[in-house]
Amino acid sequence: MPNTILVGAQWGDEGKGKVIDVLTSQADVIVRFQGGSNAGHTVITGGKKFVLHLIPSGILHPGKQCVIGNGVVMDPFDLIKEINDLREQGIETDGRLFISDRTHMVMQWHRALDAADEARRSQDKKIGTTGRGIGPAYGAKMGRSGVRVGNLLSPAFLDMVRVDTATANATLAAWGAQTLDVEELVAKYAQASKTLAPYIADTVAYVNEADRAGKSILLEGAQGTMLDIDFGTYPFVTSSNPTSGGACTGSGLSPRRIDRVIGVIKCYTTRVGAGPFPTELTDATGEHLRQKGGEFGATTGRPRRCGWFDAVVGRYSAMVNGVDFWAMTKLDVLDEQPVIKICTAYLRDDGVRYETFPADLCVLDRCKPVYEELPGWLTPTSHITRYEDLPLKARTYVERLVALVGGRLGILSVGPARETTLRMGL
Ligand code: IMP
């Protein structure tokens, strides 16, 4: 398989896990390149259920090597829990999992600051974060005061924990939040550094050596384009770059070594957390999509907001990521809709039409989606295993989405089972 970047094209939860599972079988090395334990995906294989937040699901495939790239922010306690859970279920990570020495860590004070920051914001300013410390950890990285995985091996590490906890405690106290016990944390980090030491590696060199040796590399993103710190609905975004550019900066593999970009996109739209969502449905149709699509957050269990497919978002994602192929997911969730709407553009209250996503949320506030309607197919599709066997109206819908966003369809998923991942050239 060529070197591939896989990204989410909407607000996350596009069903990347299932697509990654299919592509992993053709890859040698799977690299997670951004985000942290805010992502979550559940994989059911061989009758066992695995919940992964940081480790690429490639770990469940024997013989695959997995990397937590430098662009990730990794909470050592979460990672140790994941390693232990996998071990209990018979999956060994030793010798197959490598953590970049350049990866920044989410420390306990980042989690505490994340929660305290959300709590002190007024209702309209709350981001609705996952509470996993992501913003403060990336903030520290960019502010050049972060803690990297490589620091775990340094004799000065525990002093760093002492100083940083005390600094964070001052802020927490000022915000009226509970402070942290410094010595308790020092003891926990001393233990964590011993457990994780064998996994630490120069993964930039490792990934590039694998590439030179002709191995195929899958760079896997978490979250989605509209949650990107630069291209998303700022400030209602996550703190990393889930877009294809982030795959290179978050792994150390050069853009010149990338062969293709796959965008994962759901046949409707969802979003979890606060922020703009032009095609949101707050009525019974939205509720139907939520129930039928099982749209509840994998990390926090929160109900996801649901709405129609937004081709403005799709087109923008295609542009920003350079999507070659689409993996479209969850078509079957629309099986019972008599009429299906697609948003093709936004219209501002003064008549200005937007074909691409505006940066200014005040502009977005003044916009309404322009919809076109297609008839639903009103037939179950989740048992179908060949594209040609789909009802004509379902194919017309899918082909209309592809025509609106550009690029080619590579995968269409019509149900949770592996066999319902219809493959067209991928
Ligand atoms: P954070 O990443 O925890 O800081 O949360 C920032 C925003 O990104 C919130 O709206 C979250 O709900 C959203 N978010 C973070 N991770 C995911 C994800 O994996 N899927 C969907 N939304 C996410």
Side-chain angles (χ1 to χ4, degrees), residues 11-13 38-39 127-131 134-135 223 227 237-238 272-274 302:
W11 278 278
D13 309 314
N38 48 351
I127 309 293
T129 73
T130 60
I134 305 300
Q223 289 88 41
L227 288 172
V237 290
T238 192
V272 60
R302 289 179 291 178

Side-chain angles (χ1 to χ4, degrees), residues 253-266:
L253 189 64
S254 155
R256 301 185 60 168
R257 301 302 307 149
I258 305 299
D259 299 298
R260 62 184 186 178
V261 178
I262 300 177
V264 186
I265 196 159
K266 199 145 52 177

